[in-house]
Amino acid sequence: MQIHQHAAANNLAPKLLACEHLPGGGSVVVMQLLEEGQGWHTLSSVWQVCPTADQQTNLLQAVLSMQQAFHALHLPPAEVAAPTLASSAASASACA
């Protein structure tokens, strides 16, 4: 959850609104609704508008940079996974 809070603080993920741990190890998580009109896109939708190999390489490099920044926080490995969302700033710069 710490990595998600860091990502949200940097406009790279939705804000966590609530989190409740359930008996048996599960959790209920409520997050901010992300909408395209607010500049949010899935990586798969951004990939589709990056027609050239160079643009796709730039997008992958942006995702890897995000993941490396998360690794630099020295969080437990279970906290760090490849991002599935990109903010408008990340997607705009990746396909420029």
Side-chain angles (χ1 to χ4, degrees), residues 21-44:
H21 298 286
L22 302 173
S27 297
V28 173
V29 178
V30 179
M31 290 183 261
Q32 166 192 17
L33 176 63
L34 301 179
E35 298 182 36
E36 278 193 34
Q38 297 172 329
W40 291 94
H41 306 277
T42 63
L43 288 178
S44 63

Side-chain angles (χ1 to χ4, degrees), residues 14-91:
K15 292 180 179 128
L16 290 176
L17 303 177
C19 182
E20 183 179 336
H21 298 286
L22 302 173
S27 297
V28 173
V29 178
V30 179
M31 290 183 261
Q32 166 192 17
L33 176 63
L34 301 179
E35 298 182 36
E36 278 193 34
Q38 297 172 329
W40 291 94
H41 306 277
T42 63
L43 288 178
S44 63
S45 69
V46 174
W47 182 266
Q48 293 173 1
V49 297
C50 290
T52 70
D54 285 343
Q55 289 174 329
Q56 291 173 352
T57 298
N58 290 342
L59 178 60
L60 291 175
Q61 288 174 343
V63 170
L64 290 174
S65 292
M66 247 189 286
Q67 191 172 24
Q68 288 170 350
F70 294 152
H71 280 287
L73 296 173
H74 303 291
L75 299 170
E79 287 266 354
V80 182
T84 57
L85 294 169
S87 69
S88 57
S91 55

